[in-house]
Amino acid sequence: MGWLTHFLESYPELAVFLAVGVGYILGDIRIAGFAFGPVTGSLLAGLAIGQFAEVPISGMAKSFLFLLFLFGIGYSVGPQFLQALQRDGLRSLLLALVCTTTGLASAYVVSRFLGLDPGYSAGLLSGGLTQSAAMGTATEAVNRLAIAEEQRALYVAHIAVADAVCYIFGIVGAIWFCSVGAPKLLGADIVADAKAIEAELGLDQGSQGVLSGYHTFELRAFLVPPGAAIIGLTVGEAELLHATDRFYIQRIRRGKAIMPAALDLVLEAGDVIAISGRRKALVEKFSERHAEEVDDDDLLDMPVKAVDVLLSERDMDGVTVGKIAQQDWTRGIYLRTLRRGTQELPIARGVKLSRGDVLTLVGPEDVINAAAPRFGPVIAPTTSTDFVVLGLAIFVGGLVGVLARITIGGAVIALGTSVGALIAGLVVGHLRTRHPLFGRIPDGAVSLMTALGLASFVAMTGLHAGPVFIDAIREVGIGLFLGGIAVTMVPLLIGLAFGRFVLGMKSVLLLGALAGSLTMTAAMGAVQQRSGSPVAVLGYTPAYPISNILLTLWGTVIVILTAG
């Protein structure tokens, strides 16, 4: 073991990679359906390695990775952040404000009651509210304190210790409360409530959570036999027979000639028609009632296109999927997926689109080319990162964060480079919805920035805290763990009461918003599993970006509040 200790202390960069790799393994281990996740796994791995190796950690490397992470987070939620502030999901937004503010207040009260130092207080907040990013902003705030260097290093180590202790219940408690405890307190049947919301939105769970005819696109050929009900009808009239299924006749073979399906063209016996629609609906409804499916390669050999479109046009903001589907210019177009931020939304008639959404459209090439600009620009695949914007945005954001100062009660508070980088990411992410070619960063690059940036940062924090971990646990003991329970549960309970009795939110959407208020995707997934419906995500998505920003900022605030 001695050689390994010497090796890790001599090559600290390799110790970080070891902690991240082991952390991802630990994070994927499930016990009774529960998993820590890669970030907490990396923290635990760092703490474990730090027990036998005092790995020197570069403060610059930690800051560099954390700034990349914060910029990536801001870049990801930027398109939705201002929309959430302005209109989308106002109830979820208010709930997020109440929960995050209550969480900060709970962490402050508990830390004062237990007599915790700023490091323990920050870890109590980040772990109890399951926001590992708050460790980074708290670390920067600690490093700005006018105290001895040894004391600053100890406080930073305490952040990781407290986070590890409190995060255990933080994640388990949030998942349990949102999926089991809260429904019991509400006395709600979340399965029935979810079905009611689905009916209101027009969501067809019989087709795996996707509105019939809006999702899976297929083009098939059918022969119109003598006596078929559609003989003598125009193409437009035939399509209206199954308007809710959105069948569209794309082309027609009459004899040896293949012709476009003009809406006023009258259908005749013997025609072979190429129809687009959802596979199951085509087989069960169209072929059984009107025609016999045939194989016609030439008829079906037409260019079909699938594109991702960034919704940026103002007149599309707030319009429901169902209303857009009724427009003449969407004839033949199908919505395959709808993404808001990192979450995929259920596709239903009542779901409202929001600027910054990414829509995957499928249909004939000429129709897609004409319709896509009405939504916004097509997102062409790219592997290039705009490093000019990336570098300058983080620099300018960090500079603003250092120079910007707020005076509260006579105390001068600087935002810091971390908050500045976060704001820079928000601005660049938001500008993408107005100028899509500005600051382009591929999704894979953003994912690497956020995942590796945070995992590496907390791994290094764990490595730094490892040597003092055991002594710190002896110092704070069970009190810190119980305090973490309070920090987790108080905002959830107050948020539940506020959402139900003040905002009047429906149970499933309220539970999704509670999960979003603690940025706990796993809790939202548990609600979806319990309710047998994806609709909880509609409460989660408006709350998540606001809470993500505020809970990250609270790392700075809690240090300032407890350092006096």
Side-chain angles (χ1 to χ4, degrees), residues 100-139:
T100 52
T101 303
T102 304
L104 173 63
S106 300
Y108 176 74
V109 171
V110 170
S111 65
R112 295 297 83 187
F113 178 77
L114 296 176
L116 301 178
D117 64 38
Y120 284 135
S121 300
L124 170 71
L125 180 140
S126 64
L129 299 178
T130 67
Q131 181 69 358
S132 298
M135 296 173 63
T137 52
T139 298

Side-chain angles (χ1 to χ4, degrees), residues 189-241:
D189 183 347
I190 61 175
V191 174
D193 290 350
K195 290 186 180 298
I197 296 174
E198 289 173 4
E200 181 181 333
L201 293 175
L203 185 64
D204 180 12
Q205 277 287 75
S207 58
Q208 299 180 345
V210 179
L211 179 62
S212 173
Y214 277 68
H215 186 68
T216 303
F217 170 79
E218 230 182 63
L219 186 66
R220 307 180 77 151
F222 294 90
L223 172 66
V224 180
I230 60 174
I231 294 176
L233 299 180
T234 65
V235 168
E237 292 169 339
E239 291 177 349
L240 286 175
L241 293 177

Side-chain angles (χ1 to χ4, degrees), residues 37-403:
V39 175
T40 301
S42 298
L43 176 62
L44 295 176
L47 288 170
I49 294 171
Q51 296 305 302
F52 62 87
E54 294 191 16
V55 179
I57 297 299
S58 167
M60 191 279 286
K62 284 179 65 178
S63 297
F64 178 83
L65 289 167
F66 191 63
L67 292 180
L68 274 181
F69 161 74
L70 287 176
F71 180 84
I73 286 293
Y75 186 87
S76 299
V77 304
Q80 287 76 42
F81 183 75
L82 291 182
Q83 291 302 309
L85 288 176
Q86 294 170 359
R87 174 191 53 79
D88 187 34
L90 180 59
R91 292 179 179 178
S92 293
L93 167 61
L94 292 174
L95 183 68
L97 291 174
V98 168
C99 286
T100 52
T101 303
T102 304
L104 173 63
S106 300
Y108 176 74
V109 171
V110 170
S111 65
R112 295 297 83 187
F113 178 77
L114 296 176
L116 301 178
D117 64 38
Y120 284 135
S121 300
L124 170 71
L125 180 140
S126 64
L129 299 178
T130 67
Q131 181 69 358
S132 298
M135 296 173 63
T137 52
T139 298
E140 183 182 9
V142 166
N143 287 330
R144 293 200 304 266
L145 295 177
I147 56 178
E149 179 62 33
E150 294 79 7
Q151 193 66 38
R152 282 200 294 265
L154 184 61
Y155 285 172
V156 169
H158 286 175
I159 295 173
V161 173
D163 181 89
V165 171
C166 298
Y167 191 88
I168 296 173
F169 181 84
I171 185 171
V172 175
I175 292 173
W176 173 84
F177 185 83
C178 291
S179 60
V180 179
K184 289 184 177 180
L185 290 175
L186 293 173
D189 183 347
I190 61 175
V191 174
D193 290 350
K195 290 186 180 298
I197 296 174
E198 289 173 4
E200 181 181 333
L201 293 175
L203 185 64
D204 180 12
Q205 277 287 75
S207 58
Q208 299 180 345
V210 179
L211 179 62
S212 173
Y214 277 68
H215 186 68
T216 303
F217 170 79
E218 230 182 63
L219 186 66
R220 307 180 77 151
F222 294 90
L223 172 66
V224 180
I230 60 174
I231 294 176
L233 299 180
T234 65
V235 168
E237 292 169 339
E239 291 177 349
L240 286 175
L241 293 177
H242 298 285
T244 58
D245 292 296
R246 302 190 79 234
F247 294 150
Y248 293 109
I249 301 174
Q250 303 289 352
R251 297 205 294 184
I252 298 175
R253 177 190 290 279
R254 183 164 293 169
K256 294 184 178 181
I258 295 177
M259 63 188 74
L263 290 175
D264 57 355
L265 181 66
V266 177
L267 298 173
E268 300 177 359
D271 285 347
V272 180
I273 54 179
I275 303 179
S276 63
R278 189 169 57 88
R279 179 192 299 113
K280 184 177 180 182
L282 282 172
V283 172
E284 293 181 355
K285 296 183 179 181
F286 198 87
S287 61
E288 290 182 359
R289 301 180 187 179
H290 304 297
E292 172 188 353
E293 187 171 7
V294 296
D295 186 20
D296 192 325
D297 292 345
D298 292 335
L299 182 66
L300 298 178
D301 186 15
M302 58 181 294
V304 174
K305 192 174 185 179
V307 297
D308 287 337
V309 179
L310 178 67
L311 185 69
S312 59
E313 293 299 313
R314 188 177 297 275
D315 59 350
M316 291 288 105
D317 187 31
V319 181
T320 64
V321 171
K323 184 174 181 180
I324 292 177
Q326 296 171 359
Q327 306 303 309
D328 292 340
W329 53 272
T330 61
R331 178 179 178 270
I333 295 179
Y334 299 86
L335 181 57
R336 176 176 288 171
T337 60
L338 172 61
R339 300 194 307 277
R340 183 165 297 163
T342 59
Q343 297 297 319
E344 187 169 316
L345 300 186
I347 300 173
R349 292 185 181 89
V351 172
K352 293 182 179 180
L353 301 180
S354 179
R355 294 176 79 177
D357 288 349
V358 176
L359 293 73
T360 302
L361 304 177
V362 182
E365 183 178 27
D366 57 340
V367 181
I368 289 289
N369 290 341
R374 291 176 176 259
F375 295 98
V378 172
I379 305 175
T382 181
T383 58
S384 300
T385 296
D386 191 337
F387 284 105
V388 173
V389 172
L390 173 64
L392 292 180
I394 294 178
F395 171 77
V396 173
L399 179 63
V400 171
V402 171
L403 297 179

